[in-house]
Amino acid sequence: GNSVTQMEGPVTLSEEAFLTINCTYTATGYPSLFWYVQYPGEGLQLLLKATKADDKGSNKGFEATYRKETTSFHLEKGSVQVSDSAVYFCAQTNAGNMLTFGGGTRLMVKP
Amino acid sequence: EAGVAQSPRYKIIEKRQSVAFWCNPISGHATLYWYQQILGQGPKLLIQFQNNGVVDDSQLPKDRFSAERLKGVDSTLKIQPAKLEDSAVYLCASSLAYSETQYFGPGTRLLVL
């Protein structure tokens, strides 16, 4: 079945460091891929998405590229801020638009 | 534009009691989803509605969970009777159409003692 695997956290970085959170997926067909973010005490927010191979999603300085050949959708940011501290979820949708999430990666950014 | 609304935000009950959660999707969104998020895990889909019809409820524990969306707008998720392992955050999401991006509400945090 469809699944999403992302790196376990927590990931602890200093402010202005480079961020990579790895995400790989298994799927039949061609899913859409998403990154959602959950700030402390808040609900899930869509961060970015990509709907086909080689698409790059971007938002708030974060980027992820849909790599069909490696079945990956890694999240990157060039310079993290303390306010980026949150839990990040990679997800995919199948033909029925049902989201399958990874387990989440907690990011902690220290000043 | 108002987001997805959920209530209550927090609920504490004893095992074997019943509980209900309410969700009001973004106006005009035809598709509504309920997810269960256990602490430290990603959300898991419980049920998906298209207007007032069920599209998928294959992961809903039907012996104790039920959900309805009678008028195709707001929805209620019920647990009866609750078990300790039902302690989780219950998230409601909606999308404009069947294949559109899902937007999530703040969730209801349930603790079963």
Side-chain angles (χ1 to χ4, degrees):
Chain A
N2 297 344
S3 66
V4 175
T5 302
Q6 55 183 112
M7 60 190 291
E8 290 193 19
V11 174
T12 304
L13 296 173
S14 297
E15 209 165 20
E16 299 183 3
F18 184 85
L19 168 71
T20 299
I21 301 178
N22 291 337
C23 171
T24 57
Y25 66 92
T26 59
T28 53
Y30 303 99
S32 294
L33 302 174
F34 303 80
W35 277 100
Y36 279 84
V37 58
Q38 191 169 38
Y39 297 103
E42 298 184 17
L44 283 166
Q45 299 176 26
L46 177 66
L47 182 59
L48 53 85
K49 68 176 183 179
T51 58
K52 61 183 187 297
D54 300 324
D55 266 4
K56 178 186 280 189
S58 61
N59 185 25
K60 299 181 181 179
F62 291 89
E63 292 184 340
T65 301
Y66 190 143
R67 301 283 188 203
K68 182 167 158 263
E69 63 277 10
T70 54
T71 62
S72 65
F73 193 55
H74 305 322
L75 182 68
E76 296 182 335
K77 186 175 185 182
S79 176
V80 294
Q81 305 300 313
V82 172
S83 57
D84 294 327
S85 298
V87 181
Y88 292 82
F89 292 93
C90 185
Q92 64 166 306
T93 53
N94 59 9
N97 204 41
M98 288 178 284
L99 277 166
T100 299
F101 286 89
T105 303
R106 181 175 300 276
L107 171 66
M108 295 191 294
V109 181
K110 297 183 176 180
Chain B
E1 179 184 86
V4 177
Q6 289 188 247
S7 67
R9 292 295 308 275
Y10 305 92
K11 190 75 177 178
I12 301 174
I13 61 172
E14 305 262 334
K15 60 183 179 184
R16 291 188 288 274
Q17 286 186 323
S18 62
V19 65
F21 313 127
W22 175 83
C23 171
N24 193 323
I26 294 172
S27 177
H29 280 198
T31 313
L32 185 147
Y33 314 78
W34 283 102
Y35 290 83
Q36 180 192 56
Q37 185 179 15
I38 292 171
L39 187 65
Q41 299 181 17
K44 183 186 81 171
L45 180 71
L46 293 175
I47 188 167
Q48 178 183 357
F49 291 94
Q50 179 72 13
N51 295 310
N52 60 350
V54 175
V55 174
D56 189 295
D57 63 357
S58 58
Q59 298 195 75
L60 187 74
K62 297 181 189 63
D63 57 333
R64 298 184 300 105
F65 286 65
S66 64
E68 60 185 14
R69 194 185 183 201
L70 292 175
K71 296 183 179 178
V73 180
D74 56 351
S75 175
T76 303
L77 176 70
K78 296 179 182 177
I79 307 175
Q80 181 179 14
K83 293 185 175 182
L84 297 177
E85 59 261 35
D86 298 332
S87 295
V89 176
Y90 290 85
L91 296 166
C92 179
S94 70
S95 61
L96 188 60
Y98 192 63
S99 60
E100 297 293 323
T101 299
Q102 296 178 34
Y103 296 90
F104 284 79
T108 296
R109 187 176 298 275
L110 174 67
L111 179 60
V112 182
L113 302 176

